[in-house]
Amino acid sequence: MTLREKEFMFEQAVNISLKKSDSFECKVIGEQLRYSIRMKQDFVEKAEKICGFNIPRNIGEVESYDKILCMCLGPDEWILIVQPKLKLQFDKIIARLNNSITISITNISDRNIGFKLKGKKVQKYINSGCPLDLALESFPIGKASRTVFESVPILLFRDGKLSFRVECWRSFGPYISDFFKRIADTND
């Protein structure tokens, strides 16, 4: 895939405009590096030393750093989301990981897109298409989970009391944003 084709794919998802209000806002998160990582728990400590940051060990836990987000999705599975300006640094880290431990690292940057959802009605709007209990006690700040939204597989991360991040396949981006636009238009 050429750089222009990648830019076109991203532009298709970015050309989404949603009404912004105090009760709800949905916006596309800028381009990010995303890696799917599979390794045995036995290698996590060594991977942490190579990476230079903590890797969560429990499913649903998230470690967040300045420009890095690491989510544990399964007993041997993580998603790492990184700012693009750290690409060279992460290329070196990935090479060291591949040379040091048994690990599978897949770049899924072109596959996924992220949305930032926030506002007073964000939980209600997400729950209109997602079966998870998003009450703060059940889904606290800093928790991530794979789930579905209107039959679309998503990764949901709560990063604030009234703020979530949704990751989905890029091809579902227009559908997700259109759903939120319709629900915001009819409920605000």
Side-chain angles (χ1 to χ4, degrees):
M1 180 177 295
T2 68
L3 180 59
R4 181 61 201 133
E5 288 170 326
K6 287 180 184 180
E7 288 171 351
F8 177 73
M9 285 174 54
F10 185 67
E11 286 166 7
Q12 283 181 309
V14 172
N15 290 333
I16 298 164
S17 61
L18 288 166
K19 180 172 72 173
K20 181 180 175 183
S21 71
D22 289 339
S23 60
F24 183 71
E25 179 183 355
C26 173
K27 65 180 183 176
V28 174
I29 297 170
E31 198 65 19
Q32 309 247 286
L33 300 174
R34 294 170 175 89
Y35 300 97
S36 174
I37 299 172
R38 303 294 300 256
M39 69 179 155
K40 290 184 179 180
Q41 285 278 345
D42 300 346
F43 296 123
V44 171
E45 193 172 318
K46 190 167 186 179
E48 287 177 329
K49 289 177 183 169
I50 293 168
C51 292
F53 56 83
N54 292 331
I55 297 173
R57 286 170 172 74
N58 296 317
I59 297 169
E61 281 186 350
V62 178
E63 290 286 344
S64 181
Y65 306 95
D66 185 33
K67 295 171 180 62
I68 303 166
L69 195 59
C70 186
M71 303 178 208
C72 183
L73 302 180
D76 65 349
E77 182 179 11
W78 294 262
I79 293 286
L80 192 62
I81 301 174
V82 182
Q83 293 293 320
K85 60 182 157 187
L86 297 178
K87 183 177 180 354
L88 292 176
Q89 177 184 341
F90 268 83
D91 286 347
K92 292 175 186 174
I93 289 172
I94 289 168
R96 287 197 311 266
L97 286 168
N98 279 324
N99 291 327
S100 302
I101 60 177
T102 303
I103 189 169
S104 169
I105 303 172
T106 305
N107 185 334
I108 58 170
S109 302
D110 293 334
R111 182 188 79 185
N112 281 24
I113 188 166
F115 294 92
K116 179 72 169 179
L117 309 174
K118 61 183 179 177
K120 296 175 199 167
K121 294 185 179 180
V122 68
Q123 185 174 313
K124 177 183 173 185
Y125 289 2
I126 293 172
N127 271 144
S128 69
C130 176
L132 290 180
D133 179 359
L134 297 179
L136 202 52
E137 310 79 48
S138 302
F139 203 88
I141 296 168
K143 182 173 180 167
S145 179
R146 268 203 186 109
T147 186
V148 293
F149 182 84
E150 282 294 303
S151 74
V152 173
I154 65 168
L155 174 60
L156 184 65
F157 168 54
R158 184 178 218 141
D159 58 0
K161 186 176 179 181
L162 301 174
S163 175
F164 292 84
R165 178 184 184 124
V166 171
E167 291 276 326
C168 68
W169 286 9
R170 195 173 296 268
S171 59
F172 289 117
Y175 175 78
I176 294 276
S177 63
D178 183 58
F179 183 91
F180 281 121
K181 181 181 186 318
R182 283 182 291 140
I183 198 161
D185 288 346
T186 57
N187 288 289
D188 271 355

